[in-house]
């Protein structure tokens, strides 16, 4: 569904991704793990065209998306829950969600809002509250809900568990699995490698901008190098 | 009432009148800054162009024998708003958009160049001398004791107050309720994220230039009628005043621009009430320096978070 072929990304003179190739198939949960600064966020954002890859190709559903503007890419059935959530703090829950469904038909977007609120009852309680005044966990739910608003076939999640209490993390992981069960393909970046690999069909390990390892979630969980570097074992 | 207090009331009325027009112009600065972090120095010239177009249309319609003032004013308003918005949109498209993403100073220099270009373009095509229009809206109310001091509130001032109020209400509704208005707010909070939601932020940016220019054109019409003269250089000082108002209220904040405009207008009027009126510009720009030094985020602005 998503194919990343030999992608290189630079920030000015600094190269952040080196010949990265990753594939995410329809219906999968694929996770990307790696240390701080490995380039995980860069890969996520490169998929979205912000920054653009300097070379290599990215295709989504067979269509090349590398080289086209970010907002066009994001209208093709792809949505992102970015690092740090980036909810609109001065806007209410309702407004944040409506921004997520901006380019959709009004009636369809209203249906999706209803679906999001069913999935996250907390957001219904806070419907008219400004996002900036909500807790971290609530903001993360809002960021996920907002991504769902475009009715994407695939969602990219960049460290959704960052800074959250274990019980909230569990909820977030449950939601991710629920989304997959609804047919949404998931590409998940996590520092929380243990939990991520448990729910993932497959995983990739990124180090200094290189993919150094790939395999099924189960295999990576028991892999010695992975255990040493990312699972504290 | 004493003479002084009546005089203060008169200056308050005058100050709120001028202040409302500062507020109208200031909104253009603040909306653009809020989204792309740039001071559109050519914005004062848009106001000037709006004023010229209004004069040309009013004089033209009068010359053609139209006598219904409301019709004349509405036609002038529409034409001025449409043409000024076209200028605003075009300036963004040709002079700023291609430079976006480069160093912050570069669009600023382009804006100053655009401002000088527009001044000279109008000076060359219209002559650089004052163009006058006889007062169209005359009369008003007076109150106070004629033997002490008579306070006057003219119909023209009433028009400026009510037009500004109406525009502000409509703008507030647009920004808070409409889809595009909300997208404007989303852009000013996080432009990159708005793009990541599949929203064409270039269109939203273009829209803010159009809205800002429309408001400046309305100010151009109103102040043109109030003062009765225009020349190609009125945009410079009005632009600086409105910019000061925007900074005073908190640049990036729309309610801040409204408030800043009113405060600045009243401050100026009070200054000229008690000091020679040449001092009012000194006080205005002194105020600008003081805010920049001691409270750069203004009255209602959020403390500056570095835009990336
Ligand atoms: N905007 C930028 N400009 C310059 N360099 C950047 C920029 N963003 C990231 N980098 C660099 O690119 C490299 C990869 O960063 P990236 O944010 O992708 O890492 P990450 O794997 O997501 O890290 P973390 O786990 O801390 O989020 C780092 O060396 C970082 O310093
Ligand atoms: Mg990251």
């Amino acid at each position: 569904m998503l194919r990343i072929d030999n992608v290189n990304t630079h920030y000015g003179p600094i190269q952040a991704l080196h010949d990265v190739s990753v594939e995410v198939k329809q219906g999968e949960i694929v996770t990307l793990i790696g240390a701080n600064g490995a380039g995980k966020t860069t890969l996520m954002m490169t998929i979205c065209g912000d920054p653009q890859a300097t070379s290599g190709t990215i295709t989504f559903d067979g269509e090349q998306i590398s080289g086209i503007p970010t907002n066009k890419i994001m209208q093709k059935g792809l949505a992102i829950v970015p690092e740090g959530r980036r909810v609109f703090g001065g806007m209410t829950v309702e407004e944040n969600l409506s921004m997520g469904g901006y380019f959709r038909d009004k009636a369809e977007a209203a249906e999706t809002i209803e679906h999001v609120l069913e999935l996250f009852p907390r957001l219904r309680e806070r419907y008219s509250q400004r996002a900036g005044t909500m807790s971290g966990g609530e903001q993360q739910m809002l960021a996920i809900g907002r991504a769902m608003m475009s009715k994407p076939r695939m969602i990219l999640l960049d460290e959704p568990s960052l800074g959250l209490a274990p019980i909230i993390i569990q909820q977030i992981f449950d939601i991710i699995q629920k989304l997959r069960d609804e047919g949404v393909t998931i590409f998940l970046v996590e520092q929380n490698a243990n939990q991520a690999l448990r729910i993932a069909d497959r995983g990739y390990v990124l180090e200094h901008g290189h993919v150094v390892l790939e395999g099924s979630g189960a295999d990576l969980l028991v892999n010695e190098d992975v255990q040493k570097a990312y699972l504290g074992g | 009432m004493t003479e002084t207090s009546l005089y203060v009331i008169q200056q308050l009325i005058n100050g709120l009148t001028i202040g409302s027009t500062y507020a109208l112009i200031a909104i253009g600065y603040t909306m653009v800054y809020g989204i792309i972090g740039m001071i559109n120095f050519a914005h004062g010239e848009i106001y000037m162009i709006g004023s010229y177009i209004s004069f040309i249309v009013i004089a033209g319609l009068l010359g053609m024998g139209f006598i219904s003032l409301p019709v004349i004013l509405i036609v002038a308003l529409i034409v001025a708003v449409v043409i000024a918005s076209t200028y605003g949109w075009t300036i963004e498209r040709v002079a700023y958009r291609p430079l976006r993403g480069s160093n912050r100073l570069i669009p600023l220099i382009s804006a100053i160049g655009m401002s000088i270009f527009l001044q000279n373009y109008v000076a060359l095509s219209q002559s650089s001398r004052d163009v006058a229009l006889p007062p169209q809206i005359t009369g008003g109310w007076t109150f106070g004791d004629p033997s002490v001091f008579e306070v006057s509130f003219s119909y023209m001032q009433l028009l400026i107050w009510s037009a500004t109020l109406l525009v502000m209400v409509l703008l507030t509704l647009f920004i808070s309720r409409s889809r595009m208005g909300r997208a404007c707010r989303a852009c000013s909070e996080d432009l990159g994220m708005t793009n990541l939601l599949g929203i064409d932020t270039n269109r939203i940016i273009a829209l803010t230039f159009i809205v800002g220019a429309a408001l400046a054109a309305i100010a151009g019409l109103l102040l043109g009628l109030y003062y009765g003269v225009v020349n190609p250089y009125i945009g410079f000082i009005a632009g600086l005043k409105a910019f000061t108002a925007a900074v005073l209220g908190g640049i990036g904040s729309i309610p801040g621009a409204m408030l800043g405009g009113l405060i600045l207008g009243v401050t100026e009027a009070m200054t000229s009430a008690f000091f020679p009126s040449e001092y009012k510009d000194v006080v205005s720009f002194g105020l600008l320096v003081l805010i920049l030094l001691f409270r750069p985020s203004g009255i209602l602005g959020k403390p500056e978070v570095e835009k990336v």
Side-chain angles (χ1 to χ4, degrees), chain B:
Chain B
M1 273 202 265
T2 66
E3 185 179 349
T4 317
S5 55
L6 287 171
Y7 187 50
V8 165
I9 292 175
Q10 178 69 68
Q11 288 304 91
L12 194 65
I13 293 175
N14 298 349
L16 288 173
T17 308
I18 299 299
S20 332
T21 63
Y22 289 163
L24 283 174
I25 308 173
I27 286 172
Y29 283 106
T30 231
M31 283 179 77
V32 165
Y33 184 87
I35 294 188
I36 53 177
M38 168 198 165
I39 311 289
N40 175 15
F41 270 111
H43 188 56
E45 273 58 52
I46 297 290
Y47 150 76
M48 177 268 290
I49 288 172
S51 218
Y52 261 95
I53 307 280
S54 311
F55 268 43
I56 293 171
V57 172
I58 293 171
L61 290 177
L62 287 172
M64 281 155 63
F66 282 86
I67 43 162
S68 161
L69 192 59
V71 172
I72 291 176
L73 292 184
I74 288 169
V75 174
L77 174 75
I78 293 171
V79 177
V81 162
V82 168
I83 295 181
S85 300
T86 311
Y87 272 95
W89 179 84
T90 311
I91 290 172
E92 191 272 330
R93 198 72 190 76
V94 305
Y96 305 156
R97 192 182 296 183
L99 302 172
R100 215 177 289 144
S102 53
N103 181 309
R104 270 181 156 208
L105 278 178
I106 294 170
L108 203 66
I109 294 166
S110 181
I112 293 170
M114 203 28 112
S115 153
I116 296 170
F117 166 78
L118 289 173
Q119 268 177 34
N120 287 289
Y121 158 72
V122 174
L124 286 173
S125 62
Q126 302 288 328
S127 118
S128 59
R129 262 170 292 146
D130 279 0
V131 179
L133 189 73
Q136 299 300 312
I137 298 173
T138 50
W141 297 274
T142 53
F143 50 93
D145 182 350
S147 66
V148 184
F149 184 87
E150 234 179 357
V151 177
S152 78
F153 181 49
S154 67
Y155 296 142
M156 187 61 225
Q157 288 176 321
L158 175 70
L159 175 68
I160 293 181
W161 288 22
S162 34
T164 305
L165 187 67
L166 179 68
V167 168
M168 296 301 182
V169 169
L170 291 178
L171 180 74
T172 307
L173 285 177
F174 170 74
I175 284 293
S176 58
R177 302 283 166 78
S178 79
R179 226 166 64 97
M180 280 194 134
R182 287 170 164 191
C184 283
R185 280 193 292 147
C187 282
S188 73
E189 282 203 33
D190 190 337
L191 190 63
M193 187 64 229
T194 311
N195 236 329
L196 285 170
L197 294 175
I199 299 174
D200 188 347
T201 51
N202 276 333
R203 281 184 59 180
I204 305 294
I205 292 169
L207 176 76
T208 58
F209 275 84
I210 290 172
V211 170
L215 267 51
I218 295 172
L221 167 68
L222 294 172
L223 269 189
L225 289 169
Y226 191 55
Y227 288 140
V229 287
V230 292
N231 67 52
Y233 310 107
I234 56 169
F236 178 70
I237 201 82
L240 274 181
K241 293 285 175 63
F243 172 65
T244 305
V247 174
L248 176 63
I251 191 140
S253 154
I254 291 177
M258 300 178 185
L259 186 66
L262 295 180
I263 293 178
L264 188 68
V266 170
T267 309
E268 282 191 348
M270 291 305 165
T271 309
S272 36
F274 299 105
F275 301 96
S277 73
E278 293 77 36
Y279 278 93
K280 74 180 205 296
D281 290 356
V282 177
V283 169
S284 293
F285 299 127
L287 195 61
L288 176 62
V289 173
L290 287 178
I291 310 154
L292 289 174
L293 283 176
F294 295 109
R295 197 177 157 80
S297 58
I299 301 171
L300 298 180
K302 302 170 227 92
E304 172 81 354
V305 241
E306 188 57 32
K307 281 213 185 270
V308 281

